[in-house]
Amino acid sequence: ICGDTITTSVTLGNNLLNLTGGTECPVQGLVVGASDIVIDCSGFTINNSDGASNGIDISGFNNVTIRNCVFADFSIGISALSSSDLTVINDSFYNNLDKGIIADSSSANTIVKDSFFSGTGFDGDNDYSVELQGNNVLVFNNTFVDAIEDAFIIVDVVVGSGSAGDGFNVSGNNFSNGYVGAASTTGKNGIIENNIFNNMAGGGIAVAISSNNVTVMNNSLFNVGNATFAAIYVDQYFDGFPVSNVTVV
């Protein structure tokens, strides 16, 4: 039922239901209440009614796997606070207003792989499909399409953006019809490689705001960038924060 707290591993047998048997959650979809659990949606949907809540909330619990879920019309699909070792695998995110996934700077070792993101950013703010602020994160083999841009910057993948961001790998992803594909803000000791960027209006890759020791290599970019931002954009001194040791191959 929408709003339930999950303390053991669970496999859904149908779309998540509200108290009246409908399929739109008026609150959070699910709340994680224990470490070391798996939520397997078996391809079923967790859907929101007003775009003001989160699909799954995790706060202070570790080693959670979320797989085979569809998140639609939430503010944030998955929100992880102080929750390390989160794995998101083979999930789909549609029309989430703010973010598909956010893991804060106290959430290390996050993995996002084999997932699909479409239509992030309808609330007219600076939004991200995936925002991973913590250390040692992997974003691999995902597809990002149709991130919405309406005078605001929509970025599909942001690493760093907090007080951590040491160690990241963004590789093997496909980005199309969005604004900016992948960005390191405060990211350190990371690599952005073997991604495909197609029709990205604001640039394929951005490295800025005190990023350090970042390698960008073997990416394919088609019809990417605009008059302001290049296809690969490295700001060596963004708003007073130096960017250093960036290698583009």
Side-chain angles (χ1 to χ4, degrees):
I1 299 294
C2 298
D4 276 357
T5 297
I6 305 301
T7 57
T8 60
S9 293
V10 62
T11 300
L12 297 189
N14 49 258
N15 294 334
L16 194 66
L17 303 178
N18 59 35
L19 289 174
T20 63
T23 58
E24 292 186 338
C25 294
V27 293
Q28 302 107 314
L30 297 171
V31 178
V32 170
S35 297
D36 305 316
I37 65 171
V38 175
I39 298 175
D40 188 337
C41 295
S42 303
F44 292 108
T45 297
I46 302 175
N47 189 39
N48 193 220
S49 60
D50 60 7
S53 304
N54 299 335
I56 294 181
D57 276 323
I58 313 166
S59 182
F61 297 103
N62 302 317
N63 193 30
V64 174
T65 296
I66 300 169
R67 66 190 183 201
N68 305 320
C69 298
V70 178
F71 298 91
D73 302 319
F74 285 95
S75 174
I76 299 172
I78 299 172
S79 174
L81 305 177
S82 299
S83 300
S84 294
D85 301 299
L86 168 66
T87 299
V88 177
I89 183 168
N90 197 36
D91 296 300
S92 296
F93 299 79
Y94 294 95
N95 303 333
N96 295 289
L97 301 189
D98 189 12
K99 295 175 176 66
I101 301 168
I102 182 169
D104 72 354
S105 57
S106 297
S107 300
N109 309 320
T110 302
I111 297 172
V112 178
K113 63 181 294 188
D114 303 332
S115 294
F116 180 85
F117 300 81
S118 176
T120 301
F122 277 99
D123 68 346
D125 203 350
N126 292 342
D127 301 323
Y128 314 121
S129 296
V130 174
E131 181 179 6
L132 306 182
Q133 300 179 5
N135 297 329
N136 302 318
V137 301
L138 172 66
V139 183
F140 175 72
N141 196 38
N142 303 285
T143 299
F144 300 87
V145 300
D146 300 332
I148 305 303
E149 190 276 318
D150 183 16
F152 291 89
I153 296 175
I154 310 300
V155 184
D156 280 314
V157 175
V158 173
V159 291
S161 77
S163 59
D166 190 349
F168 65 86
N169 186 322
V170 179
S171 62
N173 303 285
N174 195 314
F175 303 85
S176 62
N177 302 323
Y179 195 69
V180 176
S184 167
T185 53
T186 59
K188 300 176 288 293
N189 302 314
I191 188 166
I192 300 172
E193 68 172 343
N194 298 324
N195 302 285
I196 299 173
F197 303 85
N198 192 24
N199 295 325
M200 306 299 293
I205 300 166
V207 182
I209 314 179
S210 70
S211 293
N212 179 48
N213 194 27
V214 176
T215 299
V216 178
M217 64 184 298
N218 297 333
N219 298 282
S220 299
L221 302 100
F222 307 95
N223 192 27
V224 169
N226 57 31
T228 302
F229 296 106
I232 299 176
Y233 179 75
V234 179
D235 195 329
Q236 295 291 345
Y237 205 71
F238 186 92
D239 286 351
F241 296 93
V243 174
S244 58
N245 300 323
V246 178
T247 302
V248 179
V249 180

